Amino acid sequence: MYILGLNAYHADSSAAIFKDGKMIAATEEERFRRQKHWAGFPSMAIQFCLKEAGISLSQVDHIAIGRDPSAKMNKKLLFLLKNPGGGFNAVLDRLKNARKVASLEEEFVLLDKTVDKAIIKSRIHQVEHHRSHLASAFFASPFDEAALLSIDGSGDFTTTMTGIGRGNQIEVLDSVDFPHSVGLFYTAFTQLLGFPHYGDEYKVMGLAPYGQPKYVDKLKEVLVFGNDGLFTLDLKYFRSAKSGIVSYGDDHIPVVAPLYSPLMVEKFGAVRKKEEPLSQYHKDLAASVQRVTEELIFHILNHLQKRTGLNSVCIAGGVAQNSVANGKLTRNTGFKQVYIPSAGHDAGISMGSALYVYNHILKQQRAAPVWSAYTGSRFSNEEIEQYLQSRNIAFKRYSDAELYDKVSDQLINAGVVGWFNGRAEFGPRALGARSILADPRRSDAKDLLNAKIKRRESFRPFAPSILKEYVGEYFEVTDEVPFMEKVFPIKKEKHTLIPAVTHADGTGRLQTVDKAVTPRYYELIEAFRKKTGVPILLNTSFNENEPIVNSPHDALECYLRTNMDMLVLENCVITRNGSI
């Protein structure tokens, strides 16, 4: 049985395909379109998934989309009645989007003119947004029973949903309705701090350790914790939601309207201008926003743990990308085990909607847990050689052993390496398939990377990839973190040894590298360890203000327009000075 899952007409559109419950391929449309957070119909991702599965569209048994325009219709209509005028425009925009979702068969016919429109329509399932998030986490997890949390900005008029997963079924317990949203709370203050673009919230998370959480009590007047384990917003601090939040133009790029009201500006200060330096107040406000968000997540989860009595929890949604909060969950809630998928954000909706149909609706037996994010594009050495020859690029192809030796030497000698290996990752993190690598022992590594490639804010940290056997030697918390989804404190005695991946507060957003999951990346780090004694590499995404590279062409173009020292495409190596 083949199931195709989609996130369509929504930010981070994507596709995923499953055979008998096992994921064959999954990828974001932005990787092909080269536009961050692209939000249209994921035609290129669909074609990629079908090709990877070796089937045509007509052979797909079920198509799942993680949107249900009919969800909470009564509450949407009530919202419209309470918010006439602008409220009608907001709902009208949603209805236009809903019509696209309701006529997906038209898009599929454009993809494959041989398919019958009526048959395709009969195979489409519309799965509510947050149920798709819950499914992406629970059905991919190793737990037979777990508490569930989906938490983000908004989807299908819901912003937060809790539940219980048992076997192949999900039971929804509670939900919070739009516009009450911790995601919108975090985004409003992200904008106030001078970061206006869709997806900029991680900048606030990176800035927070440079400040002190002085304004927690003041912020708790904005984000109000409820006795029921949920929350509300004091909406006076926010621009009216009746005129819409996220809009999509003809270019399918999501744009977030300013969310703060004049009252928020009055109480928390003017919006920081683009060129205005970050003051200590800005840093303290960032620290306070991060702290309140963490405390709210703990508040929700502690209530959920007491209600369910369970020790395991699965979490997804945009707020579940807050890796700092994730790393604190087992130390601040009653939960002992946490699973968060590699694509916990909206791209994971494609994976989740497909799993919801297969497990919850069709009641099929669950497949093995998902510990690998490597479900995207891949290229053979022969394809890469042919491409490089067509571009007249000098390169040398090495055996695996020679490659690890050559690359580890380059890293030790202050080199910055573009590493393109195996299948691309599904999700926002580079996990050693499409990564830029450097020596974590160098105190100047961040400056080197920002000067040569990234050109990003100096306060943003770089992540450590560590061989999983050595986590306890370097981190105060021992856990398996395959998707770089948690931040943990680094042992104080190790700070000076790996300064390039130790953030201002002494933490690191680690990725544990498992030889069984990603053997080539493991062997490279092992080669570096044998020469330096350090089982860690600095790992950041292979891109330059664009989506993570997807093809040899993308990787080569990024290499040519930046100053990275070495490009590794599978076993083919390119260097600046030609010493290959």
Side-chain angles (χ1 to χ4, degrees), residues 132-410:
S132 299
H133 271 318
L134 296 181
S136 75
F138 177 59
F139 293 133
S141 80
F143 312 131
D144 185 59
E145 187 175 28
L148 311 177
L149 171 64
S150 171
I151 183 166
D152 64 11
S154 175
D156 284 332
F157 215 72
T158 296
T159 69
T160 302
M161 183 176 284
T162 61
I164 299 177
R166 297 184 184 93
N168 61 5
Q169 296 294 291
I170 286 175
E171 176 191 354
V172 173
L173 297 178
D174 276 320
S175 66
V176 177
D177 295 338
F178 175 85
H180 299 279
S181 164
V182 64
L184 298 185
F185 163 83
Y186 206 101
T187 297
F189 281 97
T190 297
Q191 294 173 336
L192 203 71
L193 287 164
F195 307 116
H197 299 113
Y198 188 95
D200 274 352
E201 290 81 4
Y202 60 88
K203 296 183 180 182
V204 175
M205 188 172 63
L207 180 63
Y210 293 89
Q212 296 297 319
K214 296 179 178 180
Y215 307 108
V216 167
D217 290 341
K218 197 173 174 182
L219 285 168
K220 285 186 176 178
E221 296 174 9
V222 182
L223 182 63
V224 183
F225 293 25
N227 293 329
D228 58 355
L230 298 173
F231 64 93
T232 57
L233 296 179
D234 184 338
L235 296 176
K236 296 193 300 293
Y237 287 92
F238 299 85
R239 180 185 58 81
S240 174
K242 68 184 182 181
S243 54
I245 299 295
V246 182
S247 61
Y248 306 101
D250 292 338
D251 59 2
H252 301 291
I253 306 298
V255 176
V256 188
L259 299 180
Y260 46 83
S261 71
L263 180 62
M264 185 180 287
V265 173
E266 177 187 333
K267 295 289 187 180
F268 292 95
V271 179
R272 185 178 72 88
K273 296 181 176 65
K274 185 178 180 181
E275 302 303 326
E276 183 183 347
L278 285 160
S279 67
Q280 191 57 49
Y281 172 73
H282 294 132
K283 296 171 185 176
D284 292 341
L285 183 58
S288 304
V289 170
Q290 176 64 27
R291 175 66 62 83
V292 169
T293 302
E294 291 171 13
E295 290 186 6
L296 179 70
I297 294 170
F298 303 155
H299 170 72
I300 294 169
L301 289 179
N302 275 318
H303 187 275
L304 183 60
Q305 198 279 325
K306 288 175 183 174
R307 181 173 178 180
T308 63
L310 297 170
N311 292 321
S312 302
V313 65
C314 302
I315 310 175
V319 178
Q321 298 301 113
N322 193 309
S323 51
V324 174
N326 295 341
K328 298 178 180 180
L329 295 182
T330 57
R331 289 172 287 157
N332 289 273
T333 74
F335 290 109
K336 304 304 179 189
Q337 299 180 95
V338 179
Y339 181 89
I340 300 166
S342 69
H345 65 322
D346 283 341
I349 288 290
S350 59
M351 172 185 172
S353 61
L355 286 171
Y356 190 88
V357 169
Y358 184 76
N359 294 121
H360 183 89
I361 294 177
L362 301 178
K363 296 182 170 55
Q364 296 295 308
Q365 185 175 349
R366 287 166 61 181
V370 177
W371 297 113
S372 171
Y374 309 103
T375 60
S377 64
R378 53 184 164 187
F379 298 85
S380 68
N381 278 303
E382 289 70 30
E383 289 173 308
I384 291 166
E385 286 185 349
Q386 185 176 8
Y387 173 72
L388 294 176
Q389 288 164 356
S390 75
R391 295 285 304 269
N392 294 316
I393 300 293
F395 68 93
K396 185 171 181 179
R397 180 172 168 176
Y398 291 97
S399 68
D400 284 357
E402 292 170 329
L403 182 73
Y404 307 140
D405 181 58
K406 186 80 177 176
V407 176
S408 57
D409 278 349
Q410 180 73 71

Side-chain angles (χ1 to χ4, degrees), residues 1 6 70 128 131 142 144 180 326 378 429 433 447 493 498 508:
M1 180 192 299
L6 304 180
S70 66
E128 190 271 336
R131 284 172 172 80
D144 185 59
H180 299 279
N326 295 341
R378 53 184 164 187
R429 314 289 192 207
D447 295 333
E493 64 269 24
I498 50 171

